[in-house]
Structures are given as C-alpha cells and as structure tokens.
Amino acid sequence: MFKREKELMFFGLNPNQSSYEGLKLFLLVYFGACLFASVFTAPTYWLVQWIDSLNSTETTQWLLGKRIDIYYNRLCYAATLILLPYMMKKCSLFSISNLGLPFNKDALKTFIKFFIVGLALAGIVFTCQYFFCDVKLRDVSATRVLNIFAGAILGGLVVGFLEEVIMRCLIMRSIYTAWGTLAGVILSSLFFSYKHFRAPKSLWNELSRGLETPPWDIGFTVAWYDTIGISSNFDLIPFLTLFVFGAVLCMLYIRTKMLWAPLAMHSAIVFGIQSFRKIFDSTPCENVKYFGSAGMTNGYLALGLLILIFIALCFWQPKQKDSRE
C-alpha cells in the first residue's frame, strides 16, 4: 500500500535506495530564509523610516503602520523565492514532467476531477453551515459576485501552486526519498499543519507598541515567537483537520504521480473559502464545533470527510498511463 515508486524518487534513485540530500537542501532553504529575515527585519524597517524622513508619502506611512511580524514574513517569502530555484535545480525539478505537471488530456481530466472533489467538499461543509449555523447572505450584486469568484479562483490557483510545489513536491518527496512513503506523508503533513499556526496578532501588537526605532535583534525575537506560535494558540481540531488535509494531498500526488491532483483540490478549497467569506457573514454559534466556520478547519464535519477521503485514497489504485509524454 505504501511502497515507494521511482517516479517520485529524487536524484534518479530506485525505490530500494535512499538519500538525505533533499532533506539537507530543504533545511538549507527553510533555515536560510528564517536567518535572512531575522537579520534584515530591523534594517528594512529602518530603511522605510529613513525614506519617510526624506519624503513622507502615503506609501511610506502605510508601510510604517505594518506590524513588525509582517516585515519578517515578507522577507522570509522573498528569501524562499530566491533560494527555491537552487533546490529545484538540484532536485531536477525545472521540468514539468519531474514536477508532475504534464500538459495533456489526461492531466486536464485529472485537474477537473479533483477540482470538483474540492468544490464538493467545500460545498457540503458550507451548505451545512448555512442551514445549521448563524450564516447570512450579504447584500452583494451579481457583478460583485462574479468579481469575487474571479479573484478567488486566481487566489486559489496561486496559493495551491506555491504550497503544492513546496509542501508536496519538495518537502514530501525529500522525506519520501530519505525514509519512505509513510514517513513522507506523516512528517510533511505535520509540518503543513504546524506552519498554519502562528502567534496571535495581540502578541505582535504588544511587541510593536512604542518601538519608534526597532532594535537590531527584533527579527530574531519575531522568529522565536513565530516558531513557537503554535504553543500559544493550539487547537486540536484545526490541527488534525490540516494534518489530514495535508495527508490527502500527499496521497493524491502519490496515487496519480501528477501534482495537478493535489493542486486542483487545494485550489478548489481555497476558492471556496475565499468566496464564502466575501459573500456570506457568519457569527459564532453552538453548532460551529460540528460544522466549522469560514476557514473550514474548526469543525468535526470537514475533519470526518477528509478522513474518509484519505482512507479511500489509501486503497485506490488508479490505472497508470504514460501521462508524462
């Protein structure tokens, strides 16, 4: 059921071989980005202050109004984008076939199939929320709804692509190559869930209060609290839901050998969440623990459905076609 296959192995290795090179590269990118952001968070803020002192504009005032953790996060993203091509080159992923993103009829069918699965999952959860929770339709025009859908589709595709390339293609396959399928699914899904938990905004507001000129080590302080953020706002149901969702996406990649499958489902879920949040208003109620809120992660229903999908994927053996030609 969880045997390794050559298509997902890095460095051209056979399933009976192992390599830690992918894990080393991932740790280099991850900790390198964190170190870069830690060092340059304060200087970046100082630079904005200096520019504002020379010529104050709405843009500089807007930037100075941002919390210090936002500077850290944006610098992390920038460093990751700079380092990511290096890891992809080392892992031979500058190839649509090695990424698992072929452009052919089978790939299109796979994308559509699992986009529909993602929409169905979100649709079931949000329909139940509408009928059983305190959810009301906003007063939005048809044109506004179309604009919301267009933005949500674009946002879903961007988020889905970036997270699937990093989480499933790079991280999961690195662990897969080092320790096998089960370790790849479990450890990468744990990391996926962990990274969705951040320190609360109240901490950053308190940290930034009164800092007219942040000290040089403020980036390291943010890095520390960002790392342990899960300890300050941990919630078991969202953690488990995100973990199982990550495991479902891993299994889709493993079973289809195409990144289109998890990308499609992930994009559909993000599309559903973004659309629901902008079209409907929801307020906390007793039934939220069963059906969740707009984020879908804090209710038993989404968790239960994802567990069922994961179990089905464990036993699903699709007919393999040469979709990489």
Side-chain angles (χ1 to χ4, degrees), residues 72-121:
Y72 174 85
N73 288 331
R74 297 300 179 269
L75 287 168
C76 266
Y77 296 151
T80 299
L81 290 176
I82 292 170
L83 293 170
L84 202 57
Y86 172 73
M87 182 174 180
M88 292 183 70
K89 181 180 179 181
K90 285 287 189 177
C91 296
S92 302
L93 291 176
F94 280 121
S95 160
I96 59 173
S97 60
N98 289 340
L99 271 175
L101 292 173
F103 289 91
N104 54 41
K105 188 180 295 184
D106 288 333
L108 179 61
K109 289 179 180 178
T110 296
F111 182 88
I112 293 173
K113 180 196 300 182
F114 290 105
F115 193 86
I116 292 172
V117 170
L119 283 181
L121 176 62

Coordinates of all heavy atoms in Angstrom, one line a residue, residues 72-121:
Y72 N 8.9 40.6 8.8 CA 9.6 39.4 8.9 C 9.1 38.3 7.9 O 9.9 37.7 7.2 CB 9.5 38.8 10.3 CG 10.1 37.4 10.5 CD1 11.5 37.3 10.8 CD2 9.3 36.3 10.4 CE1 12.0 36.0 10.9 CE2 9.8 35.0 10.6 CZ 11.2 34.9 10.8 OH 11.7 33.6 11.0
N73 N 7.8 38.2 7.9 CA 7.2 37.2 7.0 C 7.4 37.5 5.5 O 7.7 36.6 4.7 CB 5.6 37.2 7.2 CG 5.3 36.5 8.5 OD1 6.0 35.6 9.0 ND2 4.2 36.9 9.1
R74 N 7.4 38.8 5.1 CA 7.6 39.1 3.7 C 9.1 38.8 3.3 O 9.4 38.4 2.2 CB 7.3 40.6 3.5 CG 5.8 40.9 3.7 CD 4.9 40.1 2.7 NE 3.5 40.5 2.9 CZ 2.7 39.9 3.8 NH1 3.1 38.8 4.5 NH2 1.4 40.2 3.9
L75 N 10.0 39.1 4.3 CA 11.4 38.8 4.0 C 11.6 37.3 3.9 O 12.5 36.9 3.1 CB 12.3 39.5 5.1 CG 12.4 41.0 5.0 CD1 13.0 41.5 6.3 CD2 13.2 41.4 3.8
C76 N 10.9 36.5 4.7 CA 11.0 35.1 4.6 C 10.6 34.6 3.2 O 11.2 33.8 2.6 CB 10.1 34.4 5.7 SG 11.0 34.0 7.2
Y77 N 9.4 35.1 2.8 CA 8.9 34.8 1.5 C 9.9 35.1 0.4 O 10.2 34.3 -0.5 CB 7.6 35.5 1.2 CG 6.5 35.1 2.1 CD1 5.4 36.0 2.4 CD2 6.4 33.8 2.7 CE1 4.4 35.6 3.2 CE2 5.4 33.5 3.5 CZ 4.4 34.4 3.8 OH 3.3 34.1 4.6
A78 N 10.5 36.3 0.5 CA 11.4 36.8 -0.5 C 12.7 35.9 -0.6 O 13.1 35.5 -1.7 CB 11.8 38.2 -0.3
A79 N 13.2 35.5 0.6 CA 14.4 34.7 0.7 C 14.1 33.3 0.1 O 14.9 32.7 -0.5 CB 14.9 34.6 2.1
T80 N 12.9 32.8 0.5 CA 12.5 31.5 0.0 C 12.4 31.4 -1.5 O 12.9 30.5 -2.2 CB 11.1 31.1 0.6 OG1 11.2 31.0 2.0 CG2 10.7 29.7 0.1
L81 N 11.8 32.5 -2.1 CA 11.7 32.6 -3.6 C 13.1 32.7 -4.2 O 13.3 32.2 -5.3 CB 10.9 33.8 -4.0 CG 9.4 33.6 -3.7 CD1 8.6 34.9 -4.0 CD2 8.8 32.4 -4.4
I82 N 14.0 33.3 -3.5 CA 15.4 33.4 -4.1 C 16.1 32.0 -4.0 O 16.8 31.6 -4.9 CB 16.2 34.5 -3.3 CG1 15.6 35.8 -3.6 CG2 17.7 34.4 -3.6 CD1 16.2 36.9 -2.7
L83 N 15.9 31.3 -2.9 CA 16.7 30.1 -2.7 C 16.0 28.9 -3.3 O 16.6 27.8 -3.6 CB 16.8 29.8 -1.2 CG 17.7 30.7 -0.4 CD1 17.5 30.5 1.1 CD2 19.1 30.5 -0.8
L84 N 14.7 29.0 -3.6 CA 13.9 27.9 -4.1 C 14.4 27.4 -5.4 O 14.5 26.1 -5.6 CB 12.4 28.3 -4.2 CG 11.4 27.1 -4.3 CD1 11.5 26.3 -3.0 CD2 10.0 27.7 -4.4
P85 N 14.8 28.2 -6.4 CA 15.3 27.7 -7.7 C 16.5 26.9 -7.5 O 16.8 25.9 -8.3 CB 15.6 29.0 -8.4 CG 14.7 30.0 -7.9 CD 14.6 29.7 -6.4
Y86 N 17.4 27.2 -6.5 CA 18.6 26.4 -6.3 C 18.2 25.0 -5.9 O 18.8 24.0 -6.4 CB 19.4 27.0 -5.1 CG 20.6 26.2 -4.7 CD1 21.7 26.0 -5.5 CD2 20.5 25.5 -3.4 CE1 22.8 25.3 -5.0 CE2 21.6 24.8 -3.0 CZ 22.7 24.6 -3.8 OH 23.8 23.9 -3.4
M87 N 17.2 24.8 -5.0 CA 16.8 23.5 -4.5 C 16.1 22.7 -5.7 O 16.4 21.6 -5.9 CB 15.9 23.6 -3.4 CG 15.4 22.2 -2.8 SD 14.4 22.3 -1.3 CE 14.1 20.6 -1.1
M88 N 15.3 23.5 -6.5 CA 14.6 22.8 -7.6 C 15.6 22.4 -8.6 O 15.5 21.3 -9.2 CB 13.6 23.8 -8.2 CG 12.5 24.1 -7.2 SD 11.2 25.2 -8.0 CE 10.5 24.1 -9.2
K89 N 16.7 23.1 -8.9 CA 17.7 22.7 -9.8 C 18.4 21.5 -9.4 O 18.6 20.5 -10.1 CB 18.7 23.9 -10.1 CG 19.8 23.5 -11.1 CD 20.7 24.7 -11.3 CE 21.8 24.3 -12.3 NZ 22.8 25.4 -12.5
K90 N 18.8 21.5 -8.1 CA 19.5 20.3 -7.5 C 18.6 19.0 -7.6 O 19.1 17.9 -7.7 CB 19.8 20.6 -6.1 CG 21.0 21.5 -5.9 CD 22.3 20.8 -6.2 CE 23.5 21.7 -5.9 NZ 24.8 21.0 -6.2
C91 N 17.3 19.2 -7.4 CA 16.4 18.1 -7.4 C 15.8 17.8 -8.8 O 14.9 17.0 -9.0 CB 15.2 18.3 -6.5 SG 15.8 18.4 -4.7
S92 N 16.3 18.5 -9.8 CA 15.9 18.3 -11.2 C 14.4 18.6 -11.4 O 13.7 17.8 -12.1 CB 16.3 16.9 -11.7 OG 17.6 16.6 -11.6
L93 N 13.9 19.6 -10.8 CA 12.5 19.9 -10.9 C 12.2 21.1 -11.8 O 11.1 21.6 -11.8 CB 12.0 20.3 -9.5 CG 11.9 19.1 -8.5 CD1 11.5 19.5 -7.1 CD2 11.0 18.0 -9.0
F94 N 13.2 21.5 -12.6 CA 12.9 22.5 -13.6 C 12.4 21.8 -14.9 O 12.9 21.9 -16.0 CB 14.1 23.4 -14.0 CG 14.3 24.5 -13.0 CD1 15.5 24.6 -12.3 CD2 13.3 25.4 -12.7 CE1 15.7 25.6 -11.3 CE2 13.5 26.5 -11.8 CZ 14.7 26.5 -11.1
S95 N 11.5 20.9 -14.7 CA 10.9 20.1 -15.7 C 9.5 19.8 -15.4 O 9.2 19.3 -14.2 CB 11.7 18.8 -15.8 OG 11.0 17.8 -16.5
I96 N 8.5 20.0 -16.3 CA 7.1 19.8 -16.0 C 6.9 18.3 -15.7 O 6.0 18.0 -14.9 CB 6.2 20.3 -17.1 CG1 6.5 19.7 -18.4 CG2 6.3 21.9 -17.1 CD1 5.5 20.1 -19.5
S97 N 7.6 17.4 -16.3 CA 7.4 16.0 -16.1 C 7.9 15.6 -14.7 O 7.2 14.8 -14.0 CB 8.2 15.2 -17.2 OG 9.6 15.4 -17.2
N98 N 9.1 16.1 -14.3 CA 9.6 15.8 -13.0 C 8.7 16.4 -11.9 O 8.6 15.9 -10.8 CB 11.0 16.2 -12.8 CG 12.0 15.3 -13.6 OD1 11.6 14.2 -14.0 ND2 13.1 15.8 -13.9
L99 N 8.1 17.6 -12.1 CA 7.2 18.2 -11.2 C 5.9 17.4 -11.1 O 5.3 17.5 -10.0 CB 6.9 19.6 -11.6 CG 7.8 20.8 -11.1 CD1 7.4 22.1 -11.8 CD2 7.8 20.9 -9.6
G100 N 5.6 16.8 -12.2 CA 4.3 16.1 -12.2 C 3.2 17.0 -12.7 O 2.0 17.0 -12.3
L101 N 3.6 17.9 -13.7 CA 2.6 18.9 -14.3 C 2.7 18.8 -15.8 O 3.0 19.8 -16.5 CB 3.0 20.3 -13.8 CG 2.8 20.7 -12.3 CD1 3.4 22.0 -12.0 CD2 1.3 20.6 -12.0
P102 N 2.3 17.6 -16.3 CA 2.3 17.5 -17.8 C 1.1 18.2 -18.3 O 0.1 18.5 -17.7 CB 2.1 15.9 -18.0 CG 1.4 15.5 -16.7 CD 1.9 16.4 -15.6
F103 N 1.2 18.6 -19.6 CA 0.1 19.3 -20.3 C -0.4 18.4 -21.4 O 0.1 18.3 -22.5 CB 0.6 20.6 -20.9 CG 0.9 21.7 -19.9 CD1 2.2 21.8 -19.4 CD2 0.0 22.5 -19.5 CE1 2.5 22.7 -18.4 CE2 0.2 23.5 -18.5 CZ 1.5 23.6 -18.0
N104 N -1.4 17.6 -21.0 CA -2.1 16.7 -22.0 C -3.5 16.5 -21.5 O -4.0 17.0 -20.5 CB -1.3 15.4 -22.1 CG -1.1 14.7 -20.8 OD1 -2.0 14.7 -19.9 ND2 0.1 14.2 -20.6
K105 N -4.3 15.7 -22.2 CA -5.7 15.5 -22.0 C -5.9 14.8 -20.6 O -6.8 15.1 -19.9 CB -6.3 14.6 -23.1 CG -7.8 14.5 -23.0 CD -8.4 13.6 -24.1 CE -8.1 14.3 -25.5 NZ -8.8 13.5 -26.6
D106 N -5.0 13.8 -20.3 CA -5.2 13.1 -19.0 C -5.0 14.1 -17.8 O -5.6 14.0 -16.8 CB -4.2 11.9 -18.9 CG -4.6 10.8 -19.8 OD1 -5.8 10.7 -20.1 OD2 -3.7 10.0 -20.2
A107 N -4.0 15.0 -18.0 CA -3.7 15.9 -16.9 C -4.9 16.9 -16.7 O -5.3 17.2 -15.6 CB -2.5 16.7 -17.3
L108 N -5.5 17.3 -17.8 CA -6.7 18.2 -17.7 C -7.9 17.5 -17.0 O -8.5 18.0 -16.2 CB -7.1 18.6 -19.1 CG -8.4 19.5 -19.2 CD1 -8.1 20.8 -18.4 CD2 -8.7 19.8 -20.7
K109 N -8.1 16.2 -17.4 CA -9.1 15.4 -16.8 C -8.9 15.3 -15.3 O -9.8 15.4 -14.4 CB -9.2 14.0 -17.4 CG -9.8 14.0 -18.8 CD -9.8 12.6 -19.3 CE -10.4 12.5 -20.8 NZ -10.4 11.2 -21.3
T110 N -7.6 15.0 -14.9 CA -7.2 14.9 -13.5 C -7.5 16.2 -12.8 O -8.1 16.2 -11.6 CB -5.7 14.5 -13.4 OG1 -5.5 13.2 -14.0 CG2 -5.3 14.4 -11.9
F111 N -7.1 17.3 -13.3 CA -7.3 18.6 -12.7 C -8.8 18.9 -12.5 O -9.2 19.2 -11.4 CB -6.7 19.7 -13.5 CG -6.8 21.1 -12.9 CD1 -5.8 21.5 -12.0 CD2 -7.9 21.9 -13.1 CE1 -6.0 22.8 -11.4 CE2 -8.0 23.1 -12.5 CZ -7.1 23.6 -11.6
I112 N -9.6 18.7 -13.5 CA -11.0 18.9 -13.4 C -11.7 18.0 -12.4 O -12.5 18.5 -11.5 CB -11.7 18.8 -14.8 CG1 -11.2 19.8 -15.7 CG2 -13.2 18.8 -14.6 CD1 -11.7 19.7 -17.2
K113 N -11.3 16.7 -12.4 CA -11.9 15.8 -11.4 C -11.6 16.2 -10.0 O -12.6 16.2 -9.2 CB -11.3 14.4 -11.7 CG -11.8 13.3 -10.8 CD -10.9 12.1 -10.8 CE -10.8 11.5 -12.2 NZ -9.9 10.2 -12.1
F114 N -10.4 16.5 -9.7 CA -10.1 16.8 -8.3 C -10.5 18.2 -7.9 O -10.6 18.5 -6.7 CB -8.7 16.4 -7.9 CG -8.5 14.9 -7.9 CD1 -7.8 14.3 -9.0 CD2 -9.0 14.2 -6.9 CE1 -7.6 12.9 -9.0 CE2 -8.8 12.8 -6.9 CZ -8.2 12.2 -8.0
F115 N -10.6 19.1 -8.8 CA -11.1 20.4 -8.5 C -12.6 20.3 -8.1 O -13.1 20.9 -7.2 CB -11.0 21.4 -9.7 CG -11.2 22.8 -9.4 CD1 -10.2 23.6 -9.0 CD2 -12.5 23.4 -9.6 CE1 -10.4 25.0 -8.7 CE2 -12.7 24.7 -9.2 CZ -11.7 25.5 -8.8
I116 N -13.3 19.4 -8.8 CA -14.7 19.2 -8.5 C -14.8 18.5 -7.1 O -15.7 18.8 -6.3 CB -15.4 18.3 -9.6 CG1 -15.5 19.1 -10.9 CG2 -16.7 17.8 -9.1 CD1 -16.0 18.2 -12.0
V117 N -13.9 17.6 -6.8 CA -13.9 17.0 -5.5 C -13.7 18.0 -4.4 O -14.4 18.0 -3.4 CB -12.8 15.9 -5.4 CG1 -12.6 15.4 -3.9 CG2 -13.1 14.7 -6.3
G118 N -12.7 18.9 -4.6 CA -12.5 20.0 -3.6 C -13.7 20.9 -3.5 O -14.1 21.3 -2.4
L119 N -14.4 21.3 -4.6 CA -15.6 22.1 -4.6 C -16.7 21.4 -3.8 O -17.4 22.0 -3.1 CB -16.0 22.4 -6.0 CG -15.3 23.5 -6.7 CD1 -15.9 23.7 -8.1 CD2 -15.3 24.8 -6.0
A120 N -16.8 20.1 -4.1 CA -17.9 19.3 -3.4 C -17.7 19.3 -1.9 O -18.6 19.4 -1.1 CB -17.9 17.9 -4.0
L121 N -16.4 19.1 -1.5 CA -16.1 19.1 -0.1 C -16.4 20.4 0.6 O -17.1 20.5 1.6 CB -14.6 18.7 0.2 CG -14.1 18.8 1.6 CD1 -14.8 17.7 2.5 CD2 -12.6 18.6 1.6

